[in-house]
Amino acid sequence: MKYFIELGVDQLVKVNAYEVAKKAHVSPSTVSRVLNHRSEVSVDTAQRVDEAIDSLKFRKRMDESKKDLIIVNVPELSNLFYTEILEGTKAASNASGFKLLIDQTEINIESIDDFIESLDELNVYGIVLLNQLSTKLLNILSKHTRVVQCCEYNMESNLPAVSIDDCAAAKLATEQLIASGKNKLAILNGPHNFKYSNERERGFKMALAKGNLKFNEEWNISLPAINYDIAYPIVSQMLNSVNRPNAFFCVSDTLGAAVISAARKYNFKIPEDISVIGFDNTIISKIISPSLTTINQPKFQEGYSAIELLRKSNQKKNHLFLKTELIVRETT
Amino acid sequence: MKYFIELGVDQLVKVNAYEVAKKAHVSPSTVSRVLNHRSEVSVDTAQRVDEAIDSLKFRKRMDESKKDLIIVNVPELSNLFYTEILEGTKAASNASGFKLLIDQTEINIESIDDFIESLDELNVYGIVLLNQLSTKLLNILSKHTRVVQCCEYNMESNLPAVSIDDCAAAKLATEQLIASGKNKLAILNGPHNFKYSNERERGFKMALAKGNLKFNEEWNISLPAINYDIAYPIVSQMLNSVNRPNAFFCVSDTLGAAVISAARKYNFKIPEDISVIGFDNTIISKIISPSLTTINQPKFQEGYSAIELLRKSNQKKNHLFLKTELIVRETT
């Protein structure tokens, strides 16, 4: 929708026709007439448009030289996984003299214009995305500012990213469940609009195939959110049925906690009757009883590296994969 | 340090002499000379100063009319207590058309000038403070923007605030420990630079006095941070000594979780041997085993009300106290 007009000799500064129109209190087509057919417009109007352009150019030139604000866009804060990543982004920003602000905007085709306008107003240096965005939205966004993807990434995009290998980590976790002698495996997953969700399902399926176990669609649960209270009744129902799983691969420690609580309710022994593996190695996996076997991902380092990529990146493809590890505790 | 110069007839817009100097690339004293003894300055310099003033005035006038950004300043994000408050601020901001960004700046006498400059640059409408600030810092800050205190508040300040009654809540929790038959009570507290920490200690002591129990300074623990890994070894040491407490009032569920883990390590039965009460009613209190008795505070509503106060407030004293309640679970 937005188009830019290059003005005069100053090619460094692009001024948006809509911005000019808004500032000069005229329509965008009037701005266009002033630029292309000046004689059709009154002298007053033309002067107002000229002044708006000068003022915008002046401001933009000044602003470009002192960009020191990074925005981290996150899906939610109630998951301790994200808060540890944010600690990493904070440490890296502090170390390099950048300011950091956390934003929870849901970026979609309706909101992107407003979002970009905000980035302009705030004069941001760049953005770290913890949300999954479509290729189209990433293209729009990356034309306006520097973008680094963190944890989530769009596989079609060429933008720099830092993440783990979700598929390999899920395969490792699932293999551990199979190695503990379990043969009826369920996956407790997040929403499928996240890349991690699809990749972990893929790794889960790969391990099942390798172990000659069949994938049961009934036990393939995609929750609308990573939320204990949503997971608990669903797992309870699964455990209360005749045909029930004896192992759960959970894409978050929070979901693993729900499995442990539900298993306790029906007096199943962990890990004898039911094995459980979580994901993220948050404090929850450690304090719950029995303590939860989980996949550790280097959360702090993911956040830290995302800021480093943003600072150094020339926006060429650069995908940093960080290592995960299995933390074996009492639930397997 | 900063001084303002009122310029011409436009009393609405105050332009800072330092800003003008910076923009015009002259010294503040030159700005002063241009305004007071114009003839002493070269025509070029005077013109540069005039242009800088006009540009700043224009920008500030424009900016004032479209302030729609609220900043929430938080001490940390790894405590789930804060993330639930932030959910409330987000919901209220969305409902009223404000943008919201989360900031983790440690505001002190060294950082306040930079912080205020950032608020100016970002053109913020106001700020919600979850940090405790000195009266001096609050005075400086509130001269530059709207301020509402949330959870933490400075008792000497007249700025609007929303919080619970920490003293009364701590007294209630401690009375519950005493009612369960325990007589050797410890308090596991946060750093004393937070108001909640002092108020909860006060409530704890009031309940002890009412129950004719003595306050033991050895069992009055003020941790440098609300952190499981810091609390666990300290509680372990307390439980491993001959003279040990038989009840813990913890100012956070995270600390309550550390007490439960340490008690389990030394094979103490909960609540028979050791009683525990947490604070905040986060997900941790529910998923841990045994489930943790805790004080619920209306976290979401505190965040929501803080934004409402910011929007409606004329910065007159207005302190909203929200209700807490005791949630009795398995540890008492």
Side-chain angles (χ1 to χ4, degrees), chain A residues 18 23 53 62 65 83 87 108-109 151 161 176 179 217 275 283 305 319:
Chain A
Y18 288 104
K23 186 146 198 162
I53 289 168
M62 210 185 69
S65 66
T83 65
E87 286 297 308
N108 54 38
I109 201 67
C151 307
Q176 169 79 2
E217 199 54 71
S275 291
I283 184 83
S305 302
H319 196 137

Side-chain angles (χ1 to χ4, degrees), chain A residues 71-76 102-116 118 127 129-134 137 141 191 193-194 224, chain B residues 87 90 94 98-101:
Chain A
I71 298 280
V72 186
N73 176 257
V74 294
E76 56 160 329
I102 299 158
D103 166 65
Q104 294 180 87
T105 304
E106 193 183 317
I107 306 169
N108 54 38
I109 201 67
E110 276 82 39
S111 68
I112 186 120
D113 281 353
D114 270 358
F115 186 71
I116 286 172
S118 293
I127 174 167
L129 275 180
L130 274 78
N131 269 304
Q132 174 70 268
L133 255 63
S134 72
L137 289 173
L141 199 55
N193 55 333
F194 284 92
Chain B
E87 287 297 308
K90 180 182 159 190
N94 283 349
F98 277 87
K99 294 188 183 94
L100 186 85
L101 289 170

Side-chain angles (χ1 to χ4, degrees), chain A residues 55-331:
Chain A
S55 152
L56 283 166
K57 279 168 71 180
F58 180 84
R59 179 167 172 175
K60 288 197 175 192
R61 255 199 314 273
M62 210 185 69
D63 288 352
E64 188 56 39
S65 66
K66 55 167 188 176
K67 287 188 168 173
D68 66 351
L69 175 64
I70 292 171
I71 298 280
V72 186
N73 176 257
V74 294
E76 56 160 329
L77 291 169
S78 57
N79 188 337
L80 286 171
F81 165 68
Y82 290 118
T83 65
E84 286 197 47
I85 289 183
L86 291 171
E87 286 297 308
T89 60
K90 180 182 160 191
S93 304
N94 283 350
S96 52
F98 277 86
K99 292 185 185 99
L100 187 86
L101 290 170
I102 299 158
D103 166 65
Q104 294 180 87
T105 304
E106 193 183 317
I107 306 169
N108 54 38
I109 201 67
E110 276 82 39
S111 68
I112 186 120
D113 281 353
D114 270 358
F115 186 71
I116 286 172
E117 197 180 319
S118 293
L119 296 182
D120 281 349
E121 280 169 12
L122 299 178
N123 196 31
V124 304
Y125 174 86
I127 174 167
V128 173
L129 275 180
L130 274 78
N131 269 304
Q132 174 70 268
L133 255 63
S134 72
T135 311
K136 186 178 172 185
L137 289 173
L138 280 177
N139 285 342
I140 298 176
L141 199 55
S142 61
K143 273 193 194 117
H144 284 83
T145 191
R146 300 167 187 89
V147 178
V148 164
Q149 305 171 92
C150 182
C151 307
E152 279 295 306
Y153 59 93
N154 183 319
M155 290 180 166
E156 293 171 11
S157 145
N158 286 319
L159 292 171
V162 52
S163 76
I164 57 165
D165 182 339
D166 284 287
C167 176
K171 186 165 169 279
L172 178 69
T174 310
E175 283 169 356
Q176 169 79 2
L177 290 173
I178 296 171
S180 76
K182 298 303 195 293
N183 56 3
K184 298 165 78 179
L185 277 67
I187 175 170
L188 221 53
N189 213 337
H192 276 316
N193 55 333
F194 284 92
K195 181 266 323 164
Y196 82 78
S197 165
N198 298 300
E199 282 297 287
R200 293 185 196 171
E201 183 181 310
R202 196 161 70 87
F204 176 74
K205 283 176 174 169
M206 279 167 73
L208 287 190
K210 196 179 153 199
N212 291 316
L213 296 175
K214 84 171 204 307
F215 175 75
N216 187 334
E217 199 54 71
E218 264 181 75
W219 298 339
N220 178 22
I221 311 295
S222 166
L223 300 166
I226 301 296
N227 182 296
Y228 177 91
D229 292 319
I230 293 173
Y232 181 78
I234 292 172
V235 177
S236 293
Q237 200 174 15
M238 288 169 84
L239 290 179
N240 198 27
S241 70
V242 182
N243 185 29
R244 59 175 167 264
N246 56 19
F248 286 82
F249 166 55
C250 307
V251 300
S252 156
D253 293 337
T254 307
L255 303 181
V259 174
I260 291 174
S261 297
R264 191 181 294 129
K265 182 168 113 186
Y266 291 107
N267 295 314
F268 289 113
K269 279 190 195 141
I270 296 176
E272 294 82 354
D273 304 327
I274 311 274
S275 291
V276 196
I277 292 192
F279 213 105
D280 296 339
N281 192 28
T282 59
I283 184 83
I284 284 175
S285 63
K286 201 154 62 170
I287 67 174
I288 200 163
S289 173
S291 60
L292 183 63
T293 296
T294 190
I295 296 282
N296 180 57
Q297 56 171 312
K299 302 171 282 293
F300 184 92
Q301 206 194 323
E302 279 176 278
Y304 203 100
S305 302
I307 298 292
E308 293 293 291
L309 273 181
L310 195 63
R311 282 179 51 224
K312 292 171 185 171
S313 168
N314 50 6
Q315 294 291 296
K316 294 242 173 83
K317 182 155 184 144
N318 185 0
H319 196 137
L320 204 61
F321 280 99
L322 299 183
K323 271 188 158 175
T324 54
E325 56 181 335
L326 182 72
I327 312 281
V328 179
R329 296 209 181 94
E330 297 169 355
T331 57

